[in-house]
Amino acid sequence: MYQTEVTRSFFFPVLHSPATTKVERMASLFGFGSNGNGQLGIGSDEDTSVPKRVECIQDILDITHPVSTREASIPFHCFAAGGNHTALITQGSRRLFMTGSNKDAESLLPEPSQVFRSHELTLGSGPLSLPPAQQQNQSPTRWCSVACGWAFTVAVTEPESKSGTGQRIYAWGSGAFGELGLGPGTTKTGPRAMPIAGGVFDVEEGSDRSFEIVKVAAGLRHVLALVKEHLPGSDQHEPVVRTFLVGWGSNRQGQLGQLIRNRVKGTPGTVPVPFTEKELRGKIMEPTRIQLSRDNSEIVDMTCGQNHSLVLFSDGSVYSSGLHKYGQLGPSTLAQEENSKDFRLGFERVVGLPYVDSISCGWNHNAAMDSRVEALAEQGGSIIYMWGRNDHGQLGNGVPCHVVDGVTSSIPSGIVSLRIPNTGESRQGHGNSRRQSAKIASYSCGSEHTLAMTGAGECFAWGWNEHGNCGAGAEDQGQEKPKDVPAPRKVLLDVDSPRPGWVQGGYGSSWVLA
């Protein structure tokens, strides 16, 4: 999810200056699409193609917020959708709310819910847990990131200091592929949150190294964590902060990439022992460091698809690893023989993609965008770059991008560029009517569909629509059942005065803040 402000996320980086002219208005959160377990939070368990207001949202969020005619504040710090459950972290209090299925304890609610609810989590035993006496007297937990997979949830508390001390990471739910990160002996947590304390996060007592977990992201059965490592300085050197990736769960398709084996605690030596390919393409049961060809470059974001992953670096480049059956890894500089394989075990640069500052993954398709002011001016509006599977119209009606092969002619790169018409901005007086395409305020890839919101507050959706997750029902299309939406289609929202907000795609589900 991306917000201009989405993970995408997650935290929602604001990419334009704060408003100067402020008015008060009431914003609404809408949900539509797959809802068989109440995961939309709309107070029912029926699918809907008509966007419905999320129940009780006014009670848990400070959703009356100052806005200008150009932007809206986002009341979520983080929002994550899983197989049949959903989680959000509020912007101010950093409280965690969940809704949907609890069949495998993935929401840790006393019972399945059709609305977002919060309760103090029952924390399991382990080295990262608080003593019982402190648990009784502690203030409500403040969370900084949450990720949901098929039937599990991983969440991270806020650190107590800038160096990451006092931070804890928990998992709950069910996962037989290592996605809980709790080691080979634990595939179910039961009704409690269990601390993830092994692997990379098992720091020896007295060590002068410290970690800060910035963000977690989850695919169907794998997890990535973006980590800042704080290294102490010396008389000759300043303290160093560097970023790296940690992963666990299924790596059958290479979605975690190449891994560096964690050194066994208490053993001598610092040189990691390499994994065999058979070990790599298995279940990674505890947090393990991911080897990247650009370890000295700053990682600014990462996101997970069903069986692949993307990493965004500070120079605007994107790297991919995992399943490549549908072209979801994008073109690379590897030999044709390597590019034609159904999977790749290792992160390589996506070639042909220009500078981007945000990324989003669907199950088998991706989106990326450059939101810089100078890019908008040069491009004549926002361009969403998309690649991967397109059997349901996930890529919309994008125009193929080309790269020069250096010898004969330009060849298709497998990436398409998609623009949203600027009709809303022109009609409502936002922006330049001569702009070729609308400015995108937020976009997100769902499982097999895509959402975007323009600077005029208009929401568009395209792709797979079996559950009405593109906002189009059978009656709208004159069909017996909903059909896929092959090109961006406007989603009708019950709001009086549209303003730019936020969108989030899930597993056949969609949410829009407007």
Side-chain angles (χ1 to χ4, degrees):
M1 184 278 312
Y2 154 86
Q3 176 71 31
T4 63
E5 136 201 63
V6 245
T7 236
R8 189 170 197 199
S9 220
F10 275 138
F11 321 130
F12 304 103
V14 176
L15 302 182
H16 43 241
S17 58
T20 54
T21 303
K22 298 181 179 180
V23 296
E24 291 290 332
R25 73 169 177 87
M26 186 70 72
S28 294
L29 179 64
F30 296 89
F32 49 102
S34 180
N35 191 42
N37 289 273
Q39 60 264 45
L40 291 179
I42 59 175
S44 77
D45 59 1
E46 295 181 354
D47 292 1
T48 177
S49 63
V50 178
K52 300 289 183 65
R53 282 181 168 82
V54 172
E55 295 288 329
C56 305
I57 204 69
Q58 307 293 344
D59 298 332
I60 65 175
L61 299 177
D62 178 20
I63 207 159
T64 301
H65 50 276
V67 298
S68 73
T69 56
R70 296 183 58 244
E71 65 181 14
S73 300
I74 304 303
F76 316 120
H77 180 66
C78 187
F79 194 105
N84 293 290
H85 65 296
T86 311
L88 67 84
I89 297 174
T90 58
Q91 190 67 270
S93 63
R94 295 292 196 269
R95 296 174 64 196
L96 175 65
F97 290 81
M98 301 196 72
T99 186
S101 172
N102 198 43
K103 178 182 177 182
D104 294 294
E106 61 265 52
S107 65
L108 273 191
L109 297 172
E111 58 186 16
S113 179
Q114 298 173 3
V115 296
F116 283 96
R117 299 187 187 280
S118 174
H119 67 94
E120 286 306 307
L121 302 180
T122 301
L123 304 179
S125 61
L128 291 185
S129 294
L130 295 175
Q134 291 187 35
Q135 286 193 32
Q136 293 177 6
N137 299 321
Q138 73 175 125
S139 57
T141 304
R142 290 178 61 88
W143 301 91
C144 73
S145 183
V146 63
C148 298
W150 180 251
F152 69 95
T153 302
V154 176
V156 185
T157 66
E158 282 193 335
E160 296 174 358
S161 68
K162 291 183 178 180
S163 63
T165 57
Q167 191 175 40
R168 298 173 177 84
I169 178 170
Y170 294 96
W172 56 91
S174 174
F177 293 82
E179 53 266 61
L180 297 178
L182 300 173
T186 306
T187 59
K188 294 179 181 291
T189 65
R192 62 193 183 279
M194 299 294 292
I196 301 175
V200 168
F201 301 136
D202 187 9
V203 181
E204 294 186 17
E205 186 175 354
S207 172
D208 53 4
R209 300 171 64 188
S210 63
F211 298 138
E212 177 189 352
I213 304 169
V214 179
K215 173 188 173 180
V216 286
L220 196 71
R221 294 185 175 93
H222 72 289
V223 178
L224 296 182
L226 174 55
V227 180
K228 283 185 179 180
E229 182 177 22
H230 298 262
L231 300 174
S234 64
D235 293 339
Q236 292 80 27
H237 302 283
E238 294 291 326
V240 174
V241 178
R242 61 188 181 191
T243 56
F244 65 94
L245 278 187
V246 172
W248 60 93
S250 175
N251 199 30
R252 184 71 180 86
Q253 306 295 338
Q255 53 264 56
L256 299 177
Q258 292 284 349
L259 301 167
I260 302 173
R261 191 189 303 271
N262 303 317
R263 183 171 64 87
V264 178
K265 187 176 181 179
T267 60
T270 57
V271 179
V273 179
F275 284 90
T276 65
E277 182 169 342
K278 182 178 180 180
E279 289 174 321
L280 278 175
R281 294 194 64 197
K283 303 173 183 179
I284 309 301
M285 304 301 290
E286 62 180 14
T288 304
R289 185 160 179 163
I290 295 173
Q291 185 173 15
L292 297 170
S293 59
R294 304 192 49 186
D295 275 344
N296 293 326
S297 298
E298 182 185 5
I299 302 167
V300 295
D301 200 7
M302 82 295 187
T303 181
C304 298
Q306 183 181 29
N307 292 300
H308 76 287
S309 304
L310 298 182
V311 179
L312 174 64
F313 288 92
S314 56
D315 65 356
S317 62
V318 177
Y319 282 62
S320 61
S321 182
L323 187 67
H324 189 45
K325 185 177 180 180
Y326 307 105
Q328 57 265 58
L329 300 187
S332 75
T333 57
L334 297 177
Q336 180 62 33
E337 180 181 354
E338 290 295 318
N339 273 326
S340 62
K341 290 183 177 179
D342 281 352
F343 75 95
R344 185 171 68 229
L345 193 62
F347 285 89
E348 297 290 341
R349 183 168 184 169
V350 179
V351 176
L353 191 65
Y355 176 99
V356 296
D357 55 16
S358 62
I359 53 177
S360 180
C361 271
W363 273 5
N364 295 294
H365 75 291
N366 312 289
M369 199 176 80
D370 180 2
S371 66
R372 295 174 302 172
V373 174
E374 57 269 31
L376 294 175
E378 182 179 347
Q379 296 167 175
S382 296
I383 297 177
I384 304 177
Y385 297 97
M386 307 192 70
W387 66 100
R389 194 172 189 177
N390 195 35
D391 57 330
H392 294 287
Q394 298 96 306
L395 308 186
N397 55 355
V399 178
C401 297
H402 289 71
V403 294
V404 177
D405 64 13
V407 181
T408 56
S409 61
S410 62
I411 57 176
S413 67
I415 300 172
V416 302
S417 61
L418 185 143
R419 296 173 180 264
I420 302 295
N422 70 336
T423 53
E425 287 184 308
S426 300
R427 183 173 63 253
Q428 299 184 37
H430 296 278
N432 189 337
S433 60
R434 294 176 296 176
R435 184 179 292 166
Q436 298 173 20
S437 59
K439 176 183 176 181
I440 302 300
S442 176
Y443 71 91
S444 175
C445 293
S447 53
E448 296 182 282
H449 68 293
T450 311
L451 299 162
M453 175 166 279
T454 71
E458 292 184 325
C459 177
F460 291 82
W462 59 97
W464 182 52
N465 187 48
E466 180 178 343
H467 300 280
N469 38 297
C470 287
E475 62 280 3
D476 302 323
Q477 301 172 321
Q479 303 290 327
E480 293 183 3
K481 59 181 181 179
K483 291 179 58 178
D484 293 342
V485 179
R489 176 188 185 276
K490 186 175 178 179
V491 178
L492 299 179
L493 302 171
D494 183 18
V495 291
D496 295 330
S497 180
R499 291 290 185 271
W502 160 92
V503 294
Q504 172 71 47
Y507 287 43
S509 49
S510 304
W511 290 266
V512 178
L513 182 73

